Amino acid sequence: FVLAPVKARIVGPLGFILRGKLTESSGGAFVYDFGRIGPEGSSTAKTFVVLKGSERDNTNLSVGEISPDDVITATLGKSLGRGSMKLYPLQIELKPGKELIERLGKDKDDYGWIWIESDNPKVAKLRLRLKFALEGR
């Protein structure tokens, strides 16, 4: 027999529309890069969660666990039907505290994150990682 290394990626019914600051890493993780935000910088973002496949009409999505929850807020809007998929607008806001907070993705644990959850056991939850440095105010 022959051993051969294989690289694969499992594509599920949940994902994000990739553009601008929202990318997908080679490991399949979705990352939104706010960058370094100064006193006058924008600390809000809007993107879309995509739900596709046969379970799209039997599934409701919601925002699950957020970390750090004293800095990040996320709101999932009402779904919009687009052919074979549903798009859910996701509004993200970073709230500065008194001190600088950095989550610059230096290792796998150096991110903020938002979980998107499903009420359907056939649709696994999905995590969005957030990279940012937010100055204190």
Side-chain angles (χ1 to χ4, degrees), residues 20-90:
K21 296 181 177 192
L22 180 59
T23 60
E24 186 175 9
S25 72
S26 59
F30 292 99
V31 178
Y32 193 98
D33 188 351
F34 280 92
R36 293 187 174 275
I37 302 170
E40 303 302 317
S42 175
S43 59
T44 62
K46 186 175 181 180
T47 188
F48 288 93
V49 179
V50 178
L51 176 60
K52 58 187 174 185
S54 61
E55 296 298 322
R56 73 183 174 277
D57 294 326
N58 306 321
T59 304
N60 294 304
L61 301 180
S62 61
V63 173
E65 190 176 353
I66 296 174
S67 178
D69 63 359
D70 60 333
V71 175
I72 301 167
T73 58
T75 307
L76 199 59
K78 186 177 176 185
S79 70
L80 311 164
R82 292 288 184 260
S84 64
M85 65 180 113
K86 285 187 173 179
L87 300 177
Y88 290 80
L90 177 63

Side-chain angles (χ1 to χ4, degrees), residues 7 10 12 35 37 41 49 52 65 76 87 94 101 109 117 119 124 126 129-131 135:
K7 251 185 159 178
I10 298 172
I37 302 170
V49 179
K52 58 187 174 185
E65 190 176 353
L76 199 59
L87 300 177
L94 303 179
I101 181 167
D109 297 321
E117 296 185 345
D119 65 353
L126 179 67
R129 294 178 178 182
L130 306 176
K131 284 176 62 172
E135 286 188 16

Side-chain angles (χ1 to χ4, degrees), residues 76-120:
L76 199 59
K78 186 177 176 185
S79 70
L80 311 164
R82 292 288 184 260
S84 64
M85 65 180 113
K86 285 187 173 179
L87 300 177
Y88 290 80
L90 177 63
Q91 182 80 27
I92 304 165
E93 182 178 1
L94 303 179
K95 301 175 290 186
K98 293 182 180 180
E99 297 181 13
L100 169 71
I101 181 167
E102 291 185 329
R103 297 285 189 271
L104 295 173
K106 294 177 184 172
D107 61 46
K108 67 180 184 70
D109 297 321
D110 190 32
Y111 292 92
W113 39 262
I114 300 167
W115 280 102
I116 303 299
E117 296 185 345
S118 156
D119 65 353
N120 184 334

